[in-house]
């Protein structure tokens, strides 16, 4: 089967706007003026800290893009130390941990992001990936369902949901999930390939070939090569019709 990868949380840009009066009002008491000045000073301090957190966040994203995962985690930790309520930093930290196969630690990061923003699609989706990697397919399915409830048209979650269902031997439900993904994106070759896997696991040669053929139409070399060794096709691989398709 073909798995969809992590979603990186989008960069967060913070704008802080200060209003300015045309002049001092002589009727305002000195104590009020002092409170206002203190508030402005506090705002500037908070703005400086926010900017510093953003700098560490962007640094982490750059390191993540460069696959320097340990360094990326350190940068996200610095951003979170300044601004703990930052779901994007927690998500991307989780992605770096997932990339290091530290799945339990990644789950902690995704759960932190969800605690801050319960409807954060990227957190639920990536949480599902970590759970799938831990072979916790029922829990992964629940996470993908949460992601899809937030963004129904995200076909990536539907594909990974199908994989979790396949691992649970719920083949018809998996195929339905792949079909939903194809309805959103008709040229989704990964979904056709995974459908072929689900049919092959049920020894349904005809539909396995039909869907694998569609995947091969989109990306011939990739799927011919994969199908030759993918264990999901072990029940049908020796069939002449299947062998002919891979030639």
């Amino acid at each position: 089967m073909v798995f969809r990868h992590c979603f990186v949380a989008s960069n967060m840009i913070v704008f802080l706007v200060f209003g300015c009066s045309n002049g001092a009002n002589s009727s305002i008491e000195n104590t009020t003026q002092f409170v206002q000045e203190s508030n402005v000073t506090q705002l500037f301090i908070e703005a400086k800290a926010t900017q510093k957190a953003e700098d560490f966040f962007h640094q982490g994203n750059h390191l993540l893009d460069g696959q320097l995962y340990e360094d990326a985690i350190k940068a996200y930790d610095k951003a979170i130390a300044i601004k703990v309520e930052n779901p994007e930093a927690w998500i991307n930290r989780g992605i770096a941990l997932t990339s290091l196969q530290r799945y339990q630690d990644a789950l902690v990061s995704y759960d932190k992001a969800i605690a801050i923003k319960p409807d954060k699609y990227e957190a639920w989706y990536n949480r599902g990936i970590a759970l799938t990697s831990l072979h916790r397919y029922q829990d992964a399915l629940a996470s993908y369902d949460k992601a899809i409830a937030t963004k129904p048209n995200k076909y990536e979650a539907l594909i990974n949901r199908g994989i979790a269902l396949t691992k649970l031997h719920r083949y018809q439900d998996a195929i339905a999930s792949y079909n939903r993904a194809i309805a959103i994106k008709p040229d989704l070759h990964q979904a056709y390939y995974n459908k072929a896997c689900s049919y092959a696991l049920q020894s349904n040669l005809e539909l396995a070939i039909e869907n694998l053929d569609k995947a091969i139409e989109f990306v011939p070399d990739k799927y011919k090569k994969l199908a030759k060794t993918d264990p999901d096709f072990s029940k049908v691989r020796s069939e002449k019709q299947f062998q002919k398709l891979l030639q």
Side-chain angles (χ1 to χ4, degrees):
M1 284 177 288
V2 180
F3 197 56
R4 299 296 299 185
H5 296 294
C6 295
F7 270 140
V8 177
S10 59
N11 292 353
M12 186 170 57
I13 302 172
V14 176
F15 296 96
L16 188 58
V17 179
F18 295 101
C20 298
S21 61
N22 293 327
N25 189 332
S26 59
S27 66
I28 299 175
E29 294 179 359
N30 290 337
T31 53
T32 305
Q33 289 177 358
F34 178 76
V35 170
Q36 289 174 337
E37 289 168 4
S38 297
N39 288 342
V40 170
T41 301
Q42 184 61 32
L43 284 171
F44 275 114
I45 292 169
E46 291 175 1
K48 189 174 181 180
T50 297
Q51 185 57 57
K52 194 171 182 181
E54 286 302 305
D55 290 343
F56 284 127
F57 175 68
H58 292 303
Q59 181 186 352
N61 290 349
H62 179 72
L63 292 164
L64 184 62
D65 288 341
Q67 299 181 6
L68 298 170
Y69 303 122
E70 293 284 5
D71 292 334
I73 292 165
K74 290 175 184 176
Y76 293 132
D77 284 344
K78 290 177 182 177
I80 292 163
I82 297 168
K83 187 178 179 183
V84 69
E85 300 290 305
N86 186 342
E88 287 80 9
W90 283 112
I91 292 168
N92 289 1
R93 181 180 186 272
I95 290 169
L97 288 162
T98 299
S99 300
L100 293 169
Q101 298 182 12
R102 293 170 57 186
Y103 303 120
Q104 291 290 356
D105 292 334
L107 287 174
V108 173
S109 274
Y110 299 138
D111 286 343
K112 289 280 190 181
I114 290 165
I116 297 164
K117 193 169 176 57
D119 62 348
K120 194 69 174 174
Y121 169 83
E122 295 89 348
W124 286 112
Y125 174 83
N126 291 321
R127 186 176 187 272
I129 289 175
L131 288 164
T132 300
S133 300
L134 290 167
H135 304 266
R136 292 170 56 184
Y137 302 118
Q138 193 65 51
D139 292 333
L141 180 62
S143 279
Y144 292 133
D145 283 343
K146 286 281 191 178
I148 292 161
T150 302
K151 292 190 177 181
N153 289 328
K154 285 290 189 177
Y155 56 83
E156 296 90 347
L158 286 163
I159 290 176
N160 285 3
R161 179 179 184 272
I163 290 171
L165 286 162
T166 300
K167 294 293 187 181
L168 292 167
H169 300 167
R170 293 171 56 183
Y171 301 121
Q172 292 306 314
D173 291 334
I175 290 163
S177 197
Y178 298 137
N179 284 338
R180 286 174 63 187
I182 290 167
I184 297 165
K185 190 173 175 15
D187 62 348
L188 197 57
H189 47 85
Q190 300 96 331
Y192 285 114
Y193 181 83
N194 288 349
K195 274 181 70 180
C197 291
S198 293
Y199 282 120
L201 287 164
Q202 299 174 85
S203 300
N204 189 329
L205 176 63
E206 182 180 349
L207 289 177
I209 289 174
E210 179 183 319
N211 283 277
L212 180 57
D213 188 36
K214 287 181 180 178
I216 288 170
E217 283 179 18
F218 291 113
V219 192
D221 292 340
K222 176 180 178 179
Y223 290 117
K224 282 186 178 182
K225 184 178 180 180
L226 276 176
K228 287 177 181 177
T229 58
D230 192 330
D232 288 349
F233 292 110
S234 60
K235 292 182 179 180
V236 299
R237 187 174 288 112
S238 61
E239 299 289 340
K240 289 182 179 179
Q241 297 160 272
F242 190 84
Q243 289 293 323
K244 185 179 178 180
L245 182 62
L246 302 184
Q247 290 176 357

